[in-house]
PDB file of all heavy atoms in Angstrom:
ATOM      1  N   ILE A  99       0.620   3.268 -28.883  1.00  0.00           N
ATOM      2  CA  ILE A  99      -0.780   3.232 -28.831  1.00  0.00           C
ATOM      3  C   ILE A  99      -1.467   3.540 -30.203  1.00  0.00           C
ATOM      4  O   ILE A  99      -2.393   2.872 -30.571  1.00  0.00           O
ATOM      5  CB  ILE A  99      -1.141   4.281 -27.713  1.00  0.00           C
ATOM      6  CG1 ILE A  99      -0.729   3.779 -26.415  1.00  0.00           C
ATOM      7  CG2 ILE A  99      -2.703   4.557 -27.744  1.00  0.00           C
ATOM      8  CD1 ILE A  99      -1.091   4.786 -25.155  1.00  0.00           C
ATOM      9  N   LYS A 100      -0.868   4.565 -30.886  1.00  0.00           N
ATOM     10  CA  LYS A 100      -1.464   4.926 -32.136  1.00  0.00           C
ATOM     11  C   LYS A 100      -1.378   3.798 -33.052  1.00  0.00           C
ATOM     12  O   LYS A 100      -2.408   3.430 -33.838  1.00  0.00           O
ATOM     13  CB  LYS A 100      -0.858   6.203 -32.712  1.00  0.00           C
ATOM     14  CG  LYS A 100      -1.341   7.467 -31.977  1.00  0.00           C
ATOM     15  CD  LYS A 100      -0.545   8.669 -32.074  1.00  0.00           C
ATOM     16  CE  LYS A 100      -0.699   9.353 -33.365  1.00  0.00           C
ATOM     17  NZ  LYS A 100      -0.109  10.674 -33.355  1.00  0.00           N
ATOM     18  N   ASN A 101      -0.300   3.073 -33.133  1.00  0.00           N
ATOM     19  CA  ASN A 101      -0.101   1.973 -34.025  1.00  0.00           C
ATOM     20  C   ASN A 101      -1.033   0.760 -33.645  1.00  0.00           C
ATOM     21  O   ASN A 101      -1.779   0.318 -34.564  1.00  0.00           O
ATOM     22  CB  ASN A 101       1.262   1.283 -33.768  1.00  0.00           C
ATOM     23  CG  ASN A 101       2.250   1.953 -34.839  1.00  0.00           C
ATOM     24  OD1 ASN A 101       1.752   2.346 -35.790  1.00  0.00           O
ATOM     25  ND2 ASN A 101       3.521   1.819 -34.540  1.00  0.00           N
ATOM     26  N   TYR A 102      -1.083   0.533 -32.323  1.00  0.00           N
ATOM     27  CA  TYR A 102      -2.020  -0.568 -31.917  1.00  0.00           C
ATOM     28  C   TYR A 102      -3.440  -0.291 -32.145  1.00  0.00           C
ATOM     29  O   TYR A 102      -4.170  -1.164 -32.598  1.00  0.00           O
ATOM     30  CB  TYR A 102      -1.850  -0.644 -30.341  1.00  0.00           C
ATOM     31  CG  TYR A 102      -2.370  -1.953 -29.824  1.00  0.00           C
ATOM     32  CD1 TYR A 102      -1.593  -3.052 -29.700  1.00  0.00           C
ATOM     33  CD2 TYR A 102      -3.695  -1.976 -29.367  1.00  0.00           C
ATOM     34  CE1 TYR A 102      -2.153  -4.263 -29.191  1.00  0.00           C
ATOM     35  CE2 TYR A 102      -4.374  -3.123 -28.819  1.00  0.00           C
ATOM     36  CZ  TYR A 102      -3.547  -4.275 -28.736  1.00  0.00           C
ATOM     37  OH  TYR A 102      -3.953  -5.384 -28.233  1.00  0.00           O
ATOM     38  N   LEU A 103      -3.898   0.975 -32.118  1.00  0.00           N
ATOM     39  CA  LEU A 103      -5.374   1.261 -32.390  1.00  0.00           C
ATOM     40  C   LEU A 103      -5.527   1.652 -33.743  1.00  0.00           C
ATOM     41  O   LEU A 103      -6.642   1.905 -34.176  1.00  0.00           O
ATOM     42  CB  LEU A 103      -5.770   2.317 -31.406  1.00  0.00           C
ATOM     43  CG  LEU A 103      -5.843   1.993 -29.890  1.00  0.00           C
ATOM     44  CD1 LEU A 103      -6.029   3.251 -29.212  1.00  0.00           C
ATOM     45  CD2 LEU A 103      -6.789   0.916 -29.565  1.00  0.00           C
ATOM     46  N   ASN A 104      -4.420   1.784 -34.585  1.00  0.00           N
ATOM     47  CA  ASN A 104      -4.359   2.329 -35.986  1.00  0.00           C
ATOM     48  C   ASN A 104      -5.118   3.712 -35.944  1.00  0.00           C
ATOM     49  O   ASN A 104      -6.025   3.996 -36.765  1.00  0.00           O
ATOM     50  CB  ASN A 104      -5.110   1.320 -36.785  1.00  0.00           C
ATOM     51  CG  ASN A 104      -4.707   1.558 -38.329  1.00  0.00           C
ATOM     52  OD1 ASN A 104      -3.726   2.306 -38.546  1.00  0.00           O
ATOM     53  ND2 ASN A 104      -5.467   1.012 -39.166  1.00  0.00           N
ATOM     54  N   LEU A 105      -4.648   4.607 -35.136  1.00  0.00           N
ATOM     55  CA  LEU A 105      -5.175   5.924 -35.148  1.00  0.00           C
ATOM     56  C   LEU A 105      -4.400   6.820 -36.185  1.00  0.00           C
ATOM     57  O   LEU A 105      -3.113   6.501 -36.412  1.00  0.00           O
ATOM     58  CB  LEU A 105      -5.003   6.557 -33.736  1.00  0.00           C
ATOM     59  CG  LEU A 105      -5.653   5.844 -32.631  1.00  0.00           C
ATOM     60  CD1 LEU A 105      -5.303   6.471 -31.239  1.00  0.00           C
ATOM     61  CD2 LEU A 105      -7.168   5.804 -32.799  1.00  0.00           C
ATOM     62  N   LYS A 106      -5.052   7.815 -36.649  1.00  0.00           N
ATOM     63  CA  LYS A 106      -4.461   8.710 -37.661  1.00  0.00           C
ATOM     64  C   LYS A 106      -3.166   9.274 -36.956  1.00  0.00           C
ATOM     65  O   LYS A 106      -3.233   9.625 -35.960  1.00  0.00           O
ATOM     66  CB  LYS A 106      -5.378   9.800 -38.199  1.00  0.00           C
ATOM     67  CG  LYS A 106      -6.544   8.978 -38.884  1.00  0.00           C
ATOM     68  CD  LYS A 106      -6.863  10.025 -40.127  1.00  0.00           C
ATOM     69  CE  LYS A 106      -7.835   9.284 -41.036  1.00  0.00           C
ATOM     70  NZ  LYS A 106      -9.198   9.015 -40.286  1.00  0.00           N
ATOM     71  N   ASN A 107      -2.317   9.625 -37.898  1.00  0.00           N
ATOM     72  CA  ASN A 107      -0.941  10.235 -37.494  1.00  0.00           C
ATOM     73  C   ASN A 107      -1.074  11.508 -36.663  1.00  0.00           C
ATOM     74  O   ASN A 107      -0.470  11.760 -35.723  1.00  0.00           O
ATOM     75  CB  ASN A 107      -0.133  10.487 -38.741  1.00  0.00           C
ATOM     76  CG  ASN A 107       1.086   9.535 -38.643  1.00  0.00           C
ATOM     77  OD1 ASN A 107       1.296   8.944 -37.613  1.00  0.00           O
ATOM     78  ND2 ASN A 107       1.863   9.488 -39.711  1.00  0.00           N
ATOM     79  N   ASP A 108      -2.126  12.389 -37.269  1.00  0.00           N
ATOM     80  CA  ASP A 108      -2.250  13.704 -36.523  1.00  0.00           C
ATOM     81  C   ASP A 108      -3.146  13.756 -35.369  1.00  0.00           C
ATOM     82  O   ASP A 108      -3.395  14.662 -34.780  1.00  0.00           O
ATOM     83  CB  ASP A 108      -2.670  14.807 -37.485  1.00  0.00           C
ATOM     84  CG  ASP A 108      -3.916  14.353 -38.283  1.00  0.00           C
ATOM     85  OD1 ASP A 108      -4.261  13.132 -38.043  1.00  0.00           O
ATOM     86  OD2 ASP A 108      -4.429  15.042 -39.014  1.00  0.00           O
ATOM     87  N   PHE A 109      -3.694  12.400 -35.000  1.00  0.00           N
ATOM     88  CA  PHE A 109      -4.657  12.414 -33.895  1.00  0.00           C
ATOM     89  C   PHE A 109      -3.793  12.112 -32.628  1.00  0.00           C
ATOM     90  O   PHE A 109      -3.037  11.191 -32.563  1.00  0.00           O
ATOM     91  CB  PHE A 109      -5.568  11.290 -34.142  1.00  0.00           C
ATOM     92  CG  PHE A 109      -6.613  11.028 -32.999  1.00  0.00           C
ATOM     93  CD1 PHE A 109      -7.773  11.928 -33.024  1.00  0.00           C
ATOM     94  CD2 PHE A 109      -6.392  10.162 -31.950  1.00  0.00           C
ATOM     95  CE1 PHE A 109      -8.755  11.665 -32.039  1.00  0.00           C
ATOM     96  CE2 PHE A 109      -7.242   9.951 -31.031  1.00  0.00           C
ATOM     97  CZ  PHE A 109      -8.411  10.698 -31.007  1.00  0.00           C
ATOM     98  N   PHE A 110      -3.931  12.976 -31.572  1.00  0.00           N
ATOM     99  CA  PHE A 110      -3.447  12.717 -30.322  1.00  0.00           C
ATOM    100  C   PHE A 110      -4.374  12.226 -29.253  1.00  0.00           C
ATOM    101  O   PHE A 110      -5.427  13.037 -29.066  1.00  0.00           O
ATOM    102  CB  PHE A 110      -2.657  14.026 -29.836  1.00  0.00           C
ATOM    103  CG  PHE A 110      -1.765  13.929 -28.736  1.00  0.00           C
ATOM    104  CD1 PHE A 110      -0.433  13.678 -28.931  1.00  0.00           C
ATOM    105  CD2 PHE A 110      -2.171  13.829 -27.480  1.00  0.00           C
ATOM    106  CE1 PHE A 110       0.452  13.477 -27.930  1.00  0.00           C
ATOM    107  CE2 PHE A 110      -1.232  13.624 -26.381  1.00  0.00           C
ATOM    108  CZ  PHE A 110      -0.022  13.468 -26.534  1.00  0.00           C
ATOM    109  N   PRO A 111      -4.326  11.013 -28.757  1.00  0.00           N
ATOM    110  CA  PRO A 111      -5.273  10.524 -27.858  1.00  0.00           C
ATOM    111  C   PRO A 111      -5.314  11.351 -26.503  1.00  0.00           C
ATOM    112  O   PRO A 111      -4.290  11.857 -26.086  1.00  0.00           O
ATOM    113  CB  PRO A 111      -4.933   9.152 -27.661  1.00  0.00           C
ATOM    114  CG  PRO A 111      -3.438   9.160 -27.858  1.00  0.00           C
ATOM    115  CD  PRO A 111      -3.188  10.124 -28.898  1.00  0.00           C
ATOM    116  N   GLU A 112      -6.525  11.655 -26.087  1.00  0.00           N
ATOM    117  CA  GLU A 112      -6.518  12.391 -24.847  1.00  0.00           C
ATOM    118  C   GLU A 112      -5.977  11.719 -23.663  1.00  0.00           C
ATOM    119  O   GLU A 112      -6.285  10.515 -23.374  1.00  0.00           O
ATOM    120  CB  GLU A 112      -8.111  12.668 -24.594  1.00  0.00           C
ATOM    121  CG  GLU A 112      -8.341  13.778 -23.550  1.00  0.00           C
ATOM    122  CD  GLU A 112      -9.874  14.027 -23.630  1.00  0.00           C
ATOM    123  OE1 GLU A 112     -10.590  13.365 -22.877  1.00  0.00           O
ATOM    124  OE2 GLU A 112     -10.267  14.905 -24.231  1.00  0.00           O
ATOM    125  N   LEU A 113      -5.072  12.356 -22.893  1.00  0.00           N
ATOM    126  CA  LEU A 113      -4.416  11.620 -21.820  1.00  0.00           C
ATOM    127  C   LEU A 113      -4.848  12.358 -20.540  1.00  0.00           C
ATOM    128  O   LEU A 113      -5.002  13.585 -20.489  1.00  0.00           O
ATOM    129  CB  LEU A 113      -2.848  11.797 -21.999  1.00  0.00           C
ATOM    130  CG  LEU A 113      -2.289  11.044 -23.088  1.00  0.00           C
ATOM    131  CD1 LEU A 113      -0.766  11.298 -23.287  1.00  0.00           C
ATOM    132  CD2 LEU A 113      -2.501   9.569 -22.903  1.00  0.00           C
ATOM    133  N   ILE A 114      -4.773  11.634 -19.419  1.00  0.00           N
ATOM    134  CA  ILE A 114      -4.975  12.310 -18.082  1.00  0.00           C
ATOM    135  C   ILE A 114      -3.568  12.142 -17.467  1.00  0.00           C
ATOM    136  O   ILE A 114      -3.130  10.925 -17.528  1.00  0.00           O
ATOM    137  CB  ILE A 114      -6.207  11.665 -17.418  1.00  0.00           C
ATOM    138  CG1 ILE A 114      -6.625  12.453 -16.168  1.00  0.00           C
ATOM    139  CG2 ILE A 114      -6.036  10.197 -17.074  1.00  0.00           C
ATOM    140  CD1 ILE A 114      -8.039  12.482 -15.807  1.00  0.00           C
ATOM    141  N   ALA A 115      -3.148  13.173 -16.867  1.00  0.00           N
ATOM    142  CA  ALA A 115      -1.769  13.173 -16.383  1.00  0.00           C
ATOM    143  C   ALA A 115      -1.934  13.434 -14.746  1.00  0.00           C
ATOM    144  O   ALA A 115      -2.623  14.379 -14.388  1.00  0.00           O
ATOM    145  CB  ALA A 115      -0.914  14.296 -16.727  1.00  0.00           C
ATOM    146  N   GLU A 116      -1.504  12.489 -13.893  1.00  0.00           N
ATOM    147  CA  GLU A 116      -1.637  12.522 -12.501  1.00  0.00           C
ATOM    148  C   GLU A 116      -0.170  12.474 -11.856  1.00  0.00           C
ATOM    149  O   GLU A 116       0.577  11.658 -12.352  1.00  0.00           O
ATOM    150  CB  GLU A 116      -2.526  11.362 -12.024  1.00  0.00           C
ATOM    151  CG  GLU A 116      -3.841  11.392 -12.531  1.00  0.00           C
ATOM    152  CD  GLU A 116      -4.628  10.019 -12.138  1.00  0.00           C
ATOM    153  OE1 GLU A 116      -4.111   9.228 -11.341  1.00  0.00           O
ATOM    154  OE2 GLU A 116      -5.672   9.716 -12.622  1.00  0.00           O
ATOM    155  N   PRO A 117      -0.020  13.056 -10.793  1.00  0.00           N
ATOM    156  CA  PRO A 117       1.257  12.858 -10.045  1.00  0.00           C
ATOM    157  C   PRO A 117       1.278  11.325  -9.569  1.00  0.00           C
ATOM    158  O   PRO A 117       0.335  10.791  -9.313  1.00  0.00           O
ATOM    159  CB  PRO A 117       1.143  13.766  -8.839  1.00  0.00           C
ATOM    160  CG  PRO A 117       0.137  14.723  -9.154  1.00  0.00           C
ATOM    161  CD  PRO A 117      -0.802  14.052 -10.053  1.00  0.00           C
ATOM    162  N   LYS A 118       2.539  10.789  -9.596  1.00  0.00           N
ATOM    163  CA  LYS A 118       2.730   9.390  -9.158  1.00  0.00           C
ATOM    164  C   LYS A 118       3.107   9.548  -7.663  1.00  0.00           C
ATOM    165  O   LYS A 118       4.164   9.984  -7.380  1.00  0.00           O
ATOM    166  CB  LYS A 118       3.868   8.716  -9.973  1.00  0.00           C
ATOM    167  CG  LYS A 118       3.955   7.194  -9.665  1.00  0.00           C
ATOM    168  CD  LYS A 118       4.872   6.544 -10.732  1.00  0.00           C
ATOM    169  CE  LYS A 118       4.828   4.999 -10.313  1.00  0.00           C
ATOM    170  NZ  LYS A 118       5.414   4.708  -9.164  1.00  0.00           N
ATOM    171  N   ILE A 119       2.141   9.034  -6.910  1.00  0.00           N
ATOM    172  CA  ILE A 119       2.352   9.299  -5.498  1.00  0.00           C
ATOM    173  C   ILE A 119       3.213   8.003  -5.071  1.00  0.00           C
ATOM    174  O   ILE A 119       3.076   6.968  -5.359  1.00  0.00           O
ATOM    175  CB  ILE A 119       0.962   9.009  -4.764  1.00  0.00           C
ATOM    176  CG1 ILE A 119      -0.195   9.754  -5.365  1.00  0.00           C
ATOM    177  CG2 ILE A 119       1.084   9.429  -3.200  1.00  0.00           C
ATOM    178  CD1 ILE A 119       0.021  11.361  -5.403  1.00  0.00           C
ATOM    179  N   ASP A 120       4.281   8.419  -4.172  1.00  0.00           N
ATOM    180  CA  ASP A 120       5.190   7.465  -3.639  1.00  0.00           C
ATOM    181  C   ASP A 120       4.718   6.887  -2.449  1.00  0.00           C
ATOM    182  O   ASP A 120       5.096   7.213  -1.275  1.00  0.00           O
ATOM    183  CB  ASP A 120       6.629   8.059  -3.433  1.00  0.00           C
ATOM    184  CG  ASP A 120       7.612   7.073  -3.313  1.00  0.00           C
ATOM    185  OD1 ASP A 120       7.340   5.789  -3.537  1.00  0.00           O
ATOM    186  OD2 ASP A 120       8.742   7.370  -2.932  1.00  0.00           O
ATOM    187  N   GLY A 121       3.650   5.933  -2.485  1.00  0.00           N
ATOM    188  CA  GLY A 121       3.022   5.377  -1.281  1.00  0.00           C
ATOM    189  C   GLY A 121       2.810   3.972  -1.458  1.00  0.00           C
ATOM    190  O   GLY A 121       3.753   3.140  -2.202  1.00  0.00           O
ATOM    191  N   ILE A 122       1.826   3.380  -1.016  1.00  0.00           N
ATOM    192  CA  ILE A 122       1.536   1.892  -1.129  1.00  0.00           C
ATOM    193  C   ILE A 122       0.190   1.722  -1.621  1.00  0.00           C
ATOM    194  O   ILE A 122      -0.829   2.429  -1.175  1.00  0.00           O
ATOM    195  CB  ILE A 122       1.358   1.277   0.377  1.00  0.00           C
ATOM    196  CG1 ILE A 122       2.646   1.684   1.167  1.00  0.00           C
ATOM    197  CG2 ILE A 122       1.152  -0.094   0.327  1.00  0.00           C
ATOM    198  CD1 ILE A 122       3.909   1.140   0.629  1.00  0.00           C
ATOM    199  N   SER A 123       0.010   0.828  -2.618  1.00  0.00           N
ATOM    200  CA  SER A 123      -1.377   0.812  -3.408  1.00  0.00           C
ATOM    201  C   SER A 123      -2.318   0.017  -2.574  1.00  0.00           C
ATOM    202  O   SER A 123      -1.926  -0.999  -1.907  1.00  0.00           O
ATOM    203  CB  SER A 123      -1.232   0.434  -4.727  1.00  0.00           C
ATOM    204  OG  SER A 123      -0.407  -0.690  -4.944  1.00  0.00           O
ATOM    205  N   ALA A 124      -3.594   0.312  -2.649  1.00  0.00           N
ATOM    206  CA  ALA A 124      -4.577  -0.483  -1.988  1.00  0.00           C
ATOM    207  C   ALA A 124      -5.839  -0.452  -2.891  1.00  0.00           C
ATOM    208  O   ALA A 124      -6.111   0.318  -3.592  1.00  0.00           O
ATOM    209  CB  ALA A 124      -4.814   0.207  -0.608  1.00  0.00           C
TER     210      ALA A 124
END
Side-chain angles (χ1 to χ4, degrees):
I99 287 182
K100 282 166 76 168
N101 265 341
Y102 193 89
L103 299 172
N104 201 16
L105 300 176
K106 292 219 170 62
N107 251 349
D108 52 353
F109 180 85
F110 193 93
E112 195 170 85
L113 294 175
I114 192 150
E116 297 167 13
K118 184 167 187 296
I119 316 295
D120 195 8
I122 308 294
S123 53

